[in-house]
Amino acid sequence: MKLKRISIRSSSGTYEVVCGAGALQDAAKEIRALGSSSSVQVVSSPRVWRALGKEMKRARLMSREANVHMFDDRETAKNLESVKKIARSLSRAGADRKSLIVAVGGGVVGDVVGFVAASYLRGVALVQVPTTLVAQVDSAMGGKTGVNLPEGKNLVGAFYPPKLVIADSQLLRTLPNREFRAGLAEVIKYGVIADADLFSYLEKNFDAILRRDAKALDLVISRSAQIKAHVVSRDERESSLREILNFGHTFGHALEKVTRYRHFQHGEAVAWGMVAASLLGHEAGLTRADDVSRVVTLVRRMGVLPAWPRVPEKRLVDAMFADKKTLHGKLRFVLSRRIGEGRSYESVPLHLVERVLHFTPRLMQAVENHLGKLRG
Ligand SMILES: NC(=O)c1ccc[n+]([C@@H]2O[C@H](COP(=O)([O-])OP(=O)(O)OC[C@H]3O[C@@H](n4cnc5c(N)ncnc54)[C@H](O)[C@@H]3O)[C@@H](O)[C@H]2O)c1
Ligand SMILES: [Zn+2]
């Protein structure tokens, strides 16, 4: 299959995302084309390496085994301790300013290793090899890196764009089902906010995508990556346009927060959030009922989501106000006037938000009951 090359502009130069099944086979060549480096240092996690280490060795990214560094990529290990551990391991391996760091893994690996690359010797070149759907369509592009503090998620970080991203959809074959499905939420998001054709394609081909059919997967990954690339090229620092990427996320983050990040995968919370944001758009007189219904239907096809938490609506509202994305104490929501278009709105009346928080789980329950009846 033909590989796609997508360019992203950033404050520190333009870089390319090479995407498609088999992209990894060209990785060594692509890396050499970046210019000479004193050594290539691969950083990954034991879990990712167990699934994909063989492929990585075959791709000959690094010349010596000694230059592979491992750290635990659980979300709870996305912290400064891991940064220190990796930096020390790099130092022991003799990595210098001309070394190149290759991050192989999902969003956790990309965020942590990206931050290491930004700060080790005040910055060394970075290549991202994303291995989850979330990482391939979202986190490996755009230059946001960072780690969590006990006080909150992603509180320490840096903008540090990579020199290259290799997004090989074949690497997703070993991804656990729940991770894969959750990643589809971000793909649906791109359809809603920016690409009506992508959304229709998803509606027509969702079963093939769930089977991880190579052709369908390549299409949705490259379309999603193009949208992300377009948005972050125009607004690297999230001053305006980049905000549309937060569709479903104001609600989603609140759901994650009140359940202490244990109940939902991020994408599952975003899926709930997109249903809520569509209903909110409807309440605000922007989104047509028909579009709400299309979003609900597609989200439902991701599979049954973990239950909406049984907490008072007020707790979710408080969590939204505590989100670091709140500006001047005002809630901001990305809403969609029609599938394929999204924009950020502030000053959405709070009583509408509360109403939507009340109705979203009830609506999905009604859909479930209906589907249950159809199945007999
Ligand atoms: N920087 C950004 O712009 C950005 C955007 C979105 C999310 N994020 C961050 O990304 C993180 C979530 O990333 P994620 O959803 O990719 O999950 P993840 O990195 O937590 O990976 C999920 C699990 O899958 C395993 N895994 C990864 N690739 C695999 C493969 N090919 N085969 C088998 N197992 C594999 C991992 O070891 C891990 O256990 C969060 O920390 C989030 O904050 C960052
Ligand atoms: Zn997200």
Side-chain angles (χ1 to χ4, degrees):
M1 243 172 273
K2 213 169 149 355
L3 300 179
K4 279 230 159 61
R5 306 184 75 90
I6 300 163
S7 291
I8 303 187
R9 278 194 312 276
S10 81
S11 49
S12 46
T14 298
Y15 58 97
E16 296 211 315
V17 183
V18 182
C19 125
L24 184 68
Q25 286 155 28
D26 288 351
K29 194 176 80 199
E30 296 283 349
I31 286 173
R32 275 197 304 277
L34 295 173
S36 69
S37 54
S38 55
S39 67
V40 175
Q41 309 286 341
V42 174
V43 189
S44 188
S45 82
R47 256 177 108 176
V48 171
W49 210 251
R50 226 174 291 131
L52 300 170
K54 240 193 233 148
E55 265 99 324
M56 295 301 150
K57 282 180 198 149
R58 216 177 298 136
R60 297 182 175 280
L61 299 182
M62 65 284 168
S63 49
R64 297 192 299 133
E65 294 275 317
N67 294 343
V68 183
H69 312 263
M70 295 288 169
F71 77 103
D72 178 5
D73 67 352
R74 264 170 295 198
E75 185 68 36
T76 46
K78 186 180 165 182
N79 56 29
L80 288 165
E81 236 355 271
S82 296
V83 172
K84 178 172 161 193
K85 196 176 150 213
I86 298 163
R88 291 187 61 190
S89 181
L90 289 169
S91 181
R92 283 195 300 271
D96 61 20
R97 272 160 49 197
K98 291 271 179 210
S99 292
L100 177 86
I101 296 181
V102 182
V104 179
V108 170
V109 170
D111 280 13
V112 175
V113 179
F115 186 59
V116 170
S119 47
Y120 182 72
L121 302 176
R122 300 198 184 83
V124 290
L126 168 70
V127 171
Q128 293 274 11
V129 181
T131 65
T132 64
L133 185 54
V134 166
Q136 294 195 352
V137 300
D138 187 2
S139 62
M141 293 164 284
K144 283 191 185 178
T145 73
V147 296
N148 306 330
L149 293 179
E151 285 72 18
K153 258 180 74 77
N154 300 325
L155 290 184
V156 175
F159 276 100
Y160 194 70
K163 299 283 179 218
L164 172 72
V165 181
I166 305 275
D168 186 338
S169 55
Q170 282 183 345
L171 302 183
L172 303 183
R173 277 186 306 205
T174 53
L175 194 62
N177 229 346
R178 188 174 172 196
E179 303 286 346
F180 180 78
R181 283 174 186 253
L184 287 172
E186 305 285 354
V187 175
I188 296 174
K189 173 189 85 178
Y190 290 122
V192 177
I193 58 171
D195 190 341
D197 290 342
L198 172 60
F199 196 91
S200 309
Y201 184 86
L202 291 171
E203 290 178 313
K204 287 196 197 86
N205 299 282
F206 214 70
D207 294 336
I209 294 165
L210 286 174
R211 286 197 307 273
R212 307 189 199 184
D213 170 84
K215 192 168 149 253
L217 210 50
D218 273 6
L219 189 136
V220 297
I221 291 172
S222 65
R223 282 298 271 268
S224 303
Q226 266 159 4
I227 295 165
K228 172 105 191 206
H230 176 77
V231 171
V232 300
S233 291
R234 285 175 54 190
D235 177 22
E236 188 178 20
R237 303 270 163 160
E238 195 162 340
S239 47
S240 58
L241 180 66
R242 194 165 173 162
E243 267 194 87
I244 67 168
L245 300 175
N246 290 328
F247 179 68
H249 280 62
T250 312
F251 289 107
H253 287 153
L255 290 168
E256 288 183 279
K257 191 155 187 204
V258 302
T259 53
R260 291 196 232 120
Y261 300 93
R262 288 187 196 139
H263 184 58
F264 297 106
Q265 296 269 341
H266 171 69
E268 293 165 347
V270 170
W272 270 121
M274 291 192 294
V275 171
S278 304
L279 283 173
L280 185 60
H282 187 61
E283 289 289 322
L286 283 164
T287 314
R288 289 181 314 156
D290 183 45
D291 283 349
V292 178
S293 149
R294 289 176 73 191
V295 172
V296 169
T297 305
L298 203 47
V299 162
R300 175 59 189 77
R301 288 173 75 187
M302 286 172 55
V304 177
L305 298 172
W308 183 274
R310 289 172 185 275
V311 297
E313 280 111 39
K314 165 118 185 13
R315 273 203 47 211
L316 288 162
V317 172
D318 289 346
M320 287 183 206
F321 275 110
D323 197 319
K324 69 176 188 291
K325 299 228 156 65
T326 319
L327 272 187
H328 316 301
K330 278 203 179 128
L331 288 184
R332 300 171 72 79
F333 291 92
V334 178
L335 303 176
S336 171
R337 245 158 36 91
R338 63 170 65 85
I339 301 263
E341 277 179 36
R343 185 164 87 71
S344 175
Y345 293 82
E346 63 173 47
S347 53
V348 177
L350 197 55
H351 71 274
L352 295 187
V353 177
E354 283 164 352
R355 186 143 76 201
V356 160
L357 289 171
H358 180 78
F359 277 114
T360 301
R362 285 162 180 81
L363 170 78
M364 287 308 264
Q365 190 56 53
V367 171
E368 253 2 283
N369 294 347
H370 178 66
L371 289 173
K373 272 202 198 115
L374 287 182
R375 275 188 228 104

